[in-house]
Amino acid sequence: MSFTEKEDPKTLVLFDVDGTLTPARLTISDEMTKTLEKLRRKVVIGFVGGSDLSKQVEQLGPNVLEDFDYCFSENGLTAYKKGQELASQSFINWIGDEKYNKLVKFILRYLSDIDIPIRRGTFIEFRNGMINVSPVGRNASTQERNDFEAYDKIHHVREKLVDALRKNFADFGLTYSIGGQISFDVFPTGWDKTYCLQHVAEEKFEHIHFFGDKSYKGGNDYEIYSDPRTIGHAVNSPADTIKILNEIFKLDEVTI
């Protein structure tokens, strides 16, 4: 499964999803879709996000497996190349139920003791390659997510919980990555977004670009953004992503 149909088959461009290709938890715009169509004629493209594939389908559309050359869900623990599924990994098999139960009981007890303005539902979401922890709950509406994000910037709710987990579970070999507006991911150390790079190694790409909005230390794009195998581009919105893509790859010259 090579990429010889591309103008430059030795360049790969990878994208974070939330805040990079789409507004947080919202859907992809027509402008971004057209930009990616143009880009895909020139180079190989893919996305890498912490969410599972079903959430990425909600945001990027029902044909994501056809619209991207690589699709990396849960940081690449579930992976597709040209629509074909690659080998996957499992968080629960790695950690075991005994340690997992200790971790979950601590998180739920901690969340029950803190004071925040609102709570909704789904405070821990179990995924194939990680768990996602949300103090306000993943069932929060878009406005409630915006409100919690603003509250968290002042009170550092997620940051304090992550610090408590690092202190109490130092021997578990876990990494905690704050991303999006309302939550953070918990996964085995090394299972951050750089995990996806093993799936592309065989292609021997000469250039791997990565675009992400959480590229600061502690953000869930930091590891892959700063990895020596990638050329990192920090963005602050999907519009910023489009602007930089046009500048680098001269997409105005491409007709579709």
Side-chain angles (χ1 to χ4, degrees):
M1 291 191 292
S2 64
F3 299 102
T4 52
E5 74 280 6
K6 312 283 187 184
E7 282 184 32
D8 180 5
K10 286 300 180 183
T11 293
L12 169 64
V13 183
L14 292 172
F15 300 93
D16 165 55
V17 181
D18 273 350
T20 302
L21 291 180
T22 76
R25 292 299 302 132
L26 299 178
T27 54
I28 192 167
S29 69
D30 290 341
E31 184 184 10
M32 180 63 80
T33 299
K34 287 174 184 172
T35 300
L36 294 177
E37 283 178 18
K38 290 180 178 181
L39 181 66
R40 197 179 181 195
R41 295 201 172 194
K42 288 200 162 195
V43 300
V44 183
I45 70 168
F47 66 81
V48 51
S51 295
D52 58 32
L53 184 62
S54 65
K55 290 188 178 63
Q56 291 164 340
V57 167
E58 288 175 12
Q59 291 180 260
L60 299 175
N63 300 316
V64 285
L65 297 183
E66 292 82 47
D67 293 341
F68 291 83
D69 300 303
Y70 285 103
C71 302
F72 296 123
S73 306
E74 301 184 60
N75 293 350
L77 296 166
T78 300
Y80 294 84
K81 178 184 179 182
K82 288 193 168 183
Q84 301 296 310
E85 189 168 7
L86 306 176
S88 65
Q89 267 281 20
S90 163
F91 176 61
I92 194 64
N93 287 343
W94 179 87
I95 195 171
D97 279 312
E98 183 179 352
K99 284 185 173 180
Y100 180 71
N101 283 335
K102 288 180 181 176
L103 182 69
V104 168
K105 287 198 301 187
F106 180 91
I107 293 169
L108 292 175
R109 193 179 303 117
Y110 183 102
L111 291 178
S112 71
D113 286 339
I114 61 172
D115 289 319
I116 55 176
I118 63 165
R119 285 180 172 84
R120 292 301 177 250
T122 313
F123 303 103
I124 299 177
E125 183 174 78
F126 180 83
R127 299 175 181 171
N128 178 57
M130 66 183 74
I131 59 172
N132 178 266
V133 180
S134 175
V136 68
R138 295 196 62 85
N139 293 1
S141 68
T142 298
Q143 184 57 54
E144 289 163 347
R145 286 166 177 261
N146 293 340
D147 292 345
F148 177 80
E149 182 181 32
Y151 181 87
D152 193 41
K153 283 177 179 174
I154 298 168
H155 298 280
H156 308 290
V157 177
R158 290 181 291 176
E159 189 179 324
K160 289 174 183 174
L161 175 49
V162 164
D163 287 344
L165 289 168
R166 286 197 178 109
K167 179 181 176 183
N168 285 273
F169 298 96
D171 60 340
F172 272 34
L174 295 169
T175 291
Y176 309 90
S177 186
I178 296 173
Q181 296 176 290
I182 62 167
S183 64
F184 62 89
D185 297 326
V186 183
F187 48 84
T189 299
W191 288 21
D192 52 59
K193 287 184 180 176
T194 60
Y195 188 93
C196 78
L197 296 177
Q198 64 184 277
H199 293 301
V200 307
E202 66 178 22
E203 290 293 332
K204 295 183 170 56
F205 289 107
E206 293 171 5
H207 306 287
I208 301 176
H209 295 263
F210 173 77
F211 288 73
D213 69 318
K214 297 286 190 300
S215 55
Y216 49 83
K217 193 160 188 177
N220 66 354
D221 296 323
Y222 174 75
E223 289 84 3
I224 189 169
Y225 169 82
S226 58
D227 192 282
R229 292 169 290 180
T230 69
I231 303 162
H233 305 276
V235 301
N236 52 41
S237 67
D240 204 21
T241 302
I242 291 171
K243 177 175 172 287
I244 296 171
L245 286 173
N246 283 326
E247 289 171 356
I248 296 174
F249 296 103
K250 307 292 189 288
L251 298 182
D252 293 339
E253 301 170 4
V254 181
T255 55
I256 54 172

